[in-house]
Structure formats: C-alpha cells, structure tokens
C-alpha cells in the first residue's frame, strides 16, 4: 500500500515594511534618497514630497547578512495626515525623524500619534548631526519633554544619530530596523493568495487605472484577479517598484497593478482571488455592506458644492482634510465628486446646476473646453501644485460664499418725551438718553410696551438747538 504524503503550510519569515515619518523639513526624503541612492527632493514643487511611494532596499548588516527592507515615504505637511496614518497602518516598523537643530515639532507629535494609533514599534533617527547648529543633548531633552523616552535617557525607545547628507549612522539605523523587525517575528504564509493594502491610486493617461499596493501576506501571481473595495482588475500587467514586469510577488513587496475598472480607493485592503467569478462575488458582498452602512445625511444650511481633481487619489484625501478644517454655522460644504486626471467639460457640467460651486485641481491641467464652459457658467475653478496655496485659496473661496449675517448690538436707549412734527418720512422728536450713547446714522427701533411699532435712522441730533 502506497503511503500518502500531506503538505502543510509553514509560516516563513518576511521582510519588514518601514515608514519614515516626521516634521516637514527634518530630512525624511533626504534619508530615503541616501538609502536608495537617487534624488527625488528637487522633483517636488515647493520642496515637499506630495505622494506616498514605496521601494525595496537591500541592507548588509554588521553580521554580513543581506536583508531586504521595504520603505514607504509619507508627506510631511499637516494636510497629508491621512496619508501618514495610512503609511503607519500598513507598515511594520516606523522611523521617526527629528532634526538635531530643531528638536520635536508639532508635526513630529502628529506623526508619533499616527505611529501609536497603528500600534507599531518605532526608532528615533536624530538627523542633521553634520550641521554646525546641531545640538544633540538639547534634542534628546526635547524628546524626553514630549514623553518620547529614548534609550539611555530612562526609556526603551531605540535611537541613532544620523546625517542623511554624509550617511553617518545610517547603517546603524538600518541594523536597528532589522533587529526591531526580528523581534516582531514577521511571517507570511506562501500557500495563501495575496492580501494587503492599496497605498496609491492613479489614472495613467496612456495605461488606464493603476494602483500601487503592498502585499502583507501570501503570493500574488499573474492570471488571478485582485479586488480592492468596489474595484477589481485581472492580474495581467504587474510591475515591481522599478517598473519591470513580474509574474509573481511575495509578502512585503510593493507592486504596481495596471487595469482596474476604476481607480481603487487609497488605504483600501485588497484580496486576490483565483478567477473572475470569485472576484464578482466578492465585489457584490462589498457593495451590499457599503450600502447598508451609509446613512442618508441632510443639511438645512446653504450647501457649497466642491469638485476635486488630482493626479493621484492620496492627494484628494489631503484636500478633503483641508476642507474639513473650515467650520461655519452658515454654510455646509459637500464634496460632490472626486477623481484623478485633468479637469474636463463633464466636471464643470457636474457642478454647474448649483451656484457658488468650486472646482479645484492639484497637479492637473484644465482642458480648454472646460475652462471656456466654466467662464460662461460662472464656475470658479483653479489648479495648484503646492498644498499651502491650495489651502489658502479654498479658505478664501469658502469665506466669499458665506452669507453675511446682520447682528443687532444695542448701543443706547432713549425715552421719547415729545413728538414735534412729521415731514414725509422724517419725524422730529424730543427724547432723553437713558442708557449708552446715541450717534448720527445709527439705526433705531421704536417700541411701546416692548412691542416694536416702528424703526428708522437718526439723521440729525440737536442739543439746545445746536447740532451735535
């Protein structure tokens, strides 16, 4: 009798996914640039990294072992808070960058809050130690004052002093990343179909709807189908972080998938299934669940419709975050549509039915026909490449659309003693000021037993027959 063998799935070690976070100009991009030996800083308008990206680096540890590390780069500006949180949620380890000349800043604490919310271990990298103004003891004290208790200062949070410019300390930092990941015992099951998270979505004018994803478990192979939220794609065109076509990818790997039916929502978990039938069944269950959990909302306030277009979905989150900071008890803001790609005629038509509509674009162009239609219909439209400018413009545009409210402030009270004469709409009266002050051109309400019987404007005041 032949003995049957049974295959069992054994979890295997996977490399860490690392997110680099910190204040806007403390050197996150410079650190990543040094690690990948390329320069992305100058490519960003205003010197700010605007998009979340991912790539794989190979680090040789002090023990001589070659370890792969996947890095995510998250923008530093406050408006990109959702993108930072998403980066922390998909990562296994975080590097919190703090400049040795500045210490802890508000955005440092924001980044720390995202790390704590994601419940992942982190390492502090004190950067810019090559600067003459660097003050390591002061920066360490700043960390302790903000309850970031580093090793050697009464805490257990690992830290390393680095220079992203010269490379000093970066090898030690990567050793710490590998050690932290080893302590977390990161594993994957290679018999599973891949699952993970969408970290970027984009409409490529030549190739269609694409997404950058991070695989957190299992294997992704061409020939299967991927489902992310209410979108799906056959796995035909799959590329690694360098843009090279690949047939399969394992856990902790960033890949680009081309061919989604629409741009997948950023931050959405994805699953890989064997065939189209399974993909359609999974899509149907997601759609039903979303519909059941979306309560109808109504506002009695005047509504300002806003349409947002950007080059990537992650930036749309940032613009919506900027909109959420605008508070008013006189208007309501409703984002009626969002999308990736240039502003088109159909976008203008979408908002033209409502007055006071706003169309805002980020890193996109306005089609000529769309600009002409917007001018004819009176739709305000503008595009930006720097988030600060967009934020200021949005704030002004919304304030201009806020209805003015008349507020009554009582400055004085008079008692009417005598009514002298009436000429057309002008009444001459004698009165005594009992409270406050009375001035020319002020509006008045005339009451009898607290019931308003008339109102008007003071055109002249006399005292002892002299104008005052």
């Amino acid at each position: 009798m032949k003995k049957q063998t049974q295959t069992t799935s054994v979890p295997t070690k996977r490399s860490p996914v690392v997110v680099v976070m910190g204040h806007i100009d403390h050197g996150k991009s410079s650190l990543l640039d040094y690690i990948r030996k390329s320069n992305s800083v100058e490519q960003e308008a205003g010197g700010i990294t605007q998009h979340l990206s991912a790539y794989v680096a190979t680090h040789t540890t002090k023990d001589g072992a070659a370890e792969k590390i996947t890095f995510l780069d998250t923008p530093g500006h406050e408006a990109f808070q959702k993108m930072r949180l998403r980066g922390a949620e998909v990562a296994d380890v975080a590097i919190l960058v703090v400049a040795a000349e500045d210490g802890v800043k508000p955005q440092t604490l924001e980044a720390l809050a995202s790390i704590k919310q994601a419940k992942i271990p982190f390492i502090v990298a004190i950067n810019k130690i090559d600067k003459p103004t660097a003050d390591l003891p002061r920066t360490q004290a700043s960390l302790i004052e903000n309850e970031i208790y580093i090793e050697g200062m009464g805490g257990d949070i690992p830290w390393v002093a680095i220079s992203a410019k010269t490379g000093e300390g970066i090898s030690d930092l990567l050793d710490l990343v590998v050690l932290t990941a080893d302590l977390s015992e990161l594993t994957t099951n290679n018999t599973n179909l891949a699952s993970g998270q969408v970290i970027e979505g984009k409409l490529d004018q030549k190739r269609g709807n694409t997404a950058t994803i991070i695989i957190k478990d299992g294997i992704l192979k061409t020939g299967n189908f991927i489902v992310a939220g209410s979108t799906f794609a056959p796995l035909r065109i799959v590329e690694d972080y360098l843009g090279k076509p690949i047939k399969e990818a394992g856990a902790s790997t960033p890949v680009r998938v081309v061919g989604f039916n629409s741009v997948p929502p950023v931050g959405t978990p994805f699953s890989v299934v064997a065939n189209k039938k399974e993909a359609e069944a999974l899509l149907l269950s997601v759609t039903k669940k979303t519909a059941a959990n979306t309560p109808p909302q109504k506002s009695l306030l005047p509504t300002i419709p806003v349409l947002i277009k950007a080059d990537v979905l992650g930036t749309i989150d940032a613009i919506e975050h900027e909109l959420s900071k605008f508070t008013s008890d006189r208007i309501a803001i409703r984002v009626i549509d969002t999308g990736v790609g240039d502003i088109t005629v159909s976008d203008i038509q979408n908002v033209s039915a409502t007055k006071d509509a706003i169309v805002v674009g980020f890193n996109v162009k306005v089609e000529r026909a769309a600009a002409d239609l917007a001018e004819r219909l009176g739709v305000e439209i503008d595009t930006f490449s720097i988030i600060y400018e967009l934020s200021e413009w949005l704030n002004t545009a919304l304030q201009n659309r806020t209805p003015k409210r008349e507020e009554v402030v009582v400055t004085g009270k008079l008692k009417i003693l005598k009514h002298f004469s009436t000429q057309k709409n002008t009444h001459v009266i004698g009165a005594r000021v009992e409270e406050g002050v009375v001035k020319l051109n002020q509006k008045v309400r005339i009451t009898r037993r607290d019931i308003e019987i008339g109102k008007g404007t003071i055109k002249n005041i006399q005292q002892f027959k002299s104008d005052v």
Side-chain angles (χ1 to χ4, degrees):
M1 193 173 173
K2 203 172 184 180
K3 192 177 178 182
Q4 287 186 330
T5 57
Q6 207 171 15
T7 57
T8 56
S9 58
V10 179
T12 57
K13 178 184 172 182
R14 68 173 176 84
S15 57
V17 178
V18 178
V19 63
V20 179
M21 306 179 83
H23 187 66
I24 190 167
D25 57 359
H26 281 190
K28 301 183 307 300
S29 292
S30 300
L31 169 60
L32 286 163
D33 286 344
Y34 187 90
I35 293 169
R36 64 185 163 191
K37 301 296 185 202
S38 66
N39 188 0
S40 66
V41 178
E42 281 81 23
Q43 295 171 10
E44 298 292 354
I48 308 166
T49 307
Q50 307 280 16
H51 303 149
L52 184 148
S53 55
Y55 69 96
V56 179
T58 302
H59 169 62
T60 304
T61 66
K62 285 179 180 176
D63 302 329
E67 299 280 355
K68 285 187 175 180
I69 305 170
T70 296
F71 283 95
L72 305 176
D73 183 14
T74 63
H77 186 265
E78 185 264 342
F80 292 85
Q81 189 175 11
K82 276 190 183 177
M83 291 176 76
R84 286 203 299 277
L85 179 56
R86 246 196 328 269
E89 284 176 339
V90 77
D92 305 302
V93 180
I95 297 173
L96 183 63
V97 179
V98 182
E101 55 186 356
D102 283 344
V104 174
K105 293 285 185 181
Q107 283 171 19
T108 313
L109 298 176
E110 263 183 39
L112 179 62
S114 296
I115 293 166
K116 287 181 175 178
Q117 191 172 332
K119 296 179 180 176
I120 56 172
F122 71 100
I123 301 155
V124 174
I126 300 179
N127 189 26
K128 302 190 180 183
I129 58 170
D130 56 289
K131 291 284 188 79
T133 50
D135 191 334
L136 201 57
R138 185 164 62 86
T139 304
Q140 289 172 318
S142 172
L143 288 163
I144 300 300
E145 284 167 12
N146 286 279
E147 300 181 1
I148 305 172
Y149 300 112
I150 55 176
E151 289 177 347
M153 303 280 288
D156 59 358
I157 298 168
W159 70 279
V160 61
I162 66 163
S163 167
K165 186 177 180 180
T166 67
E168 183 182 349
I170 290 179
S171 182
D172 294 333
L173 173 64
L174 298 181
D175 280 345
L176 270 178
V177 168
V178 172
L179 175 61
T180 304
D182 285 345
L183 292 172
S184 298
E185 298 180 340
L186 306 173
T187 59
T188 180
N189 192 329
N190 288 329
T191 61
N192 292 341
L193 290 172
S195 60
Q197 196 167 348
V198 176
I199 61 168
E200 198 50 86
K202 184 174 184 178
L203 172 60
D204 190 304
Q205 297 295 337
K206 294 179 181 177
R207 311 177 76 194
N209 300 314
T210 69
T212 304
I213 62 173
I214 292 282
I215 303 166
K216 293 305 294 279
D217 184 45
I219 296 286
L220 181 144
K221 294 181 180 180
T222 54
N224 292 335
F225 277 73
I226 182 172
V227 177
S230 58
T231 69
F232 78 100
L235 290 169
R236 293 194 191 105
I237 304 174
V238 181
E239 300 169 344
D240 66 10
Y241 70 98
L242 295 171
K244 294 178 181 176
I246 54 174
K247 295 292 184 184
E248 67 174 62
S252 303
T253 309
V255 295
R256 180 184 291 116
V257 176
V258 180
F260 280 90
N261 60 327
S262 61
V263 180
V266 180
T268 304
F270 74 82
S271 300
V272 170
V273 293
N275 51 54
K276 188 176 182 179
K277 188 177 179 182
E278 288 183 31
E280 288 171 343
L282 185 55
L283 278 170
L284 185 62
S285 67
V286 169
T287 305
K288 285 180 178 177
K289 192 181 290 183
T290 304
N293 295 332
T294 308
Q297 292 182 336
K298 286 189 175 180
S299 173
L300 299 175
L301 297 172
T303 300
I304 307 299
V306 180
L307 187 144
I308 304 168
K309 295 295 287 285
D311 55 342
V312 292
L313 276 178
T315 308
I316 293 172
D317 275 351
I319 298 169
E320 289 179 324
H321 174 71
E322 290 299 289
L323 282 170
S324 71
K325 293 191 294 186
F326 185 87
T327 56
S328 173
D329 58 354
R330 281 176 272 169
I331 61 168
I333 299 163
R334 186 165 70 92
V335 177
I336 59 171
D337 199 8
T338 63
V340 291
D342 292 343
I343 296 167
T344 64
V345 167
S346 62
D347 294 326
I348 306 303
Q349 290 169 338
N350 277 352
V351 299
S352 61
T354 313
K355 67 170 191 171
D356 293 334
I358 298 172
V359 178
V360 61
F362 194 87
N363 280 341
V364 295
K365 295 175 182 176
V366 183
E367 291 181 0
R368 178 73 194 191
D372 292 343
L373 182 62
E375 189 173 350
R376 276 204 315 274
L377 299 177
V379 174
E380 190 163 6
I381 181 172
D382 213 339
T383 60
F384 301 88
S385 61
I386 298 176
I387 196 71
Y388 302 116
E389 294 175 0
L390 180 146
S391 177
E392 288 172 4
W393 181 83
L394 268 179
N395 198 52
T396 303
L398 290 169
Q399 283 179 349
N400 290 342
R401 286 161 174 76
T402 302
K404 302 297 181 281
R405 183 168 59 192
E406 191 176 80
E407 191 173 349
V408 177
V409 178
V410 178
T411 60
K413 289 184 179 179
L414 297 84
K415 184 173 183 179
I416 296 175
L417 303 176
K418 189 170 183 180
H419 183 269
F420 290 112
S421 64
T422 303
Q423 293 177 353
K424 291 187 178 179
N425 292 323
T426 302
H427 296 262
V428 180
I429 62 168
R432 179 174 64 238
V433 178
E434 301 209 318
E435 285 182 31
V437 178
V438 180
K439 294 181 180 178
L440 279 176
N441 300 317
Q442 278 190 320
K443 295 188 184 299
V444 296
R445 289 192 307 130
I446 305 165
T447 62
R448 181 183 290 133
R449 299 185 187 92
D450 295 328
I451 298 171
E452 185 176 309
I453 60 170
K455 55 187 176 182
T457 305
I458 299 174
K459 292 298 183 185
N460 181 255
I461 303 176
Q462 288 186 345
Q463 193 171 25
F464 302 115
K465 296 186 179 181
S466 299
D467 290 346
V468 294

